[in-house]
Each structure stands twice: as structure tokens, then as C-alpha cells.
Amino acid sequence: MNYREFLQQVEAQVRDRIGEGAHTCIQSVQKNNAVIMEGLSILEQGENVAPTIYLNGFYQEYLAGETMERIVSRILHYYQQGKKMRYLDISFYTDFGKAGRRIVCRVINREKNQKLLREIPSRPFLNLAVVYYYL
């Protein structure tokens, strides 16, 4: 099974095991230095927070002989562990007085991250870029 088929299979099996009332989707997330990670997001009805579980490492395990059933079980275990916060009051992020103290910066390679830098707040610094994150 190739990588795309693996992603589709994982999403379908997770969706089947979670059942009605949950939305799943696979999305590509660009990380630092042009690294692309595929993540499975699961959003249950009535929630506004959808954890993302990155699947790249699970595919390597599958290629090494791990069963799809065990992989899906582990993904669901991680999902259950990570969903302690079922609803997040996102108005916090719109009040700079509250959110400002949790904004941090990081310096990354500007040349290797050109695509990422078109999508996130940044400013040039020598041959690098300063990017901002909410901690």
C-alpha cells in the first residue's frame, strides 16, 4: 500500500471506529525547513478543538510490519489522551492583553522556509527570519 492509500485507509478506519457525530480529515501541515507532515484531525460534534495526529511515523511502522488495526488503535488512544480540552474559548486569542504574554518568537532559515513564510507572521533578520508563535 502506498502512502496516499495508507492515509485514506487510516482516516476511514478511524471514522468507522469513532462513529457518528465526528468529522475527520487529513491535512498537510508545513513545518520548519520545508518539512511537510500529514495529520489526521478529528472534530467531534459540539467541540471547537480538533487535535491533529501526525501520520508520517505510523506509515513507517506499517512498512516495518505493524498491523493497520494496531496503528488505528494507537491513533485513537493518542486522540483520547489529547482531548482533555473539549471546548476552547477562542475569544482569548482576540484579546492581545491576554494573549500577548504568550506570543514567542523563533529564528528560522529564510531560504529553506520561503513557502512557510508566505503563510505566517514573520520579519527578516539578516539571512534568517523571525517567526511568531502562540505558546
Side-chain angles (χ1 to χ4, degrees), residues 112-131:
K112 290 182 180 179
N113 292 287
Q114 291 177 14
K115 185 176 177 185
L116 177 65
L117 292 171
R118 287 191 291 266
E119 299 175 18
I120 63 173
S122 66
R123 64 183 169 99
F125 178 74
L126 302 173
N127 66 334
L128 304 169
V130 179
V131 295

Side-chain angles (χ1 to χ4, degrees), residues 7 15 50 54 56 66 70 86 90 127:
L7 294 176
R15 189 179 324 111
Y54 293 107
N56 305 65
E66 184 66 88
R70 286 194 51 153
R86 294 175 119 347
I90 58 174
N127 66 334

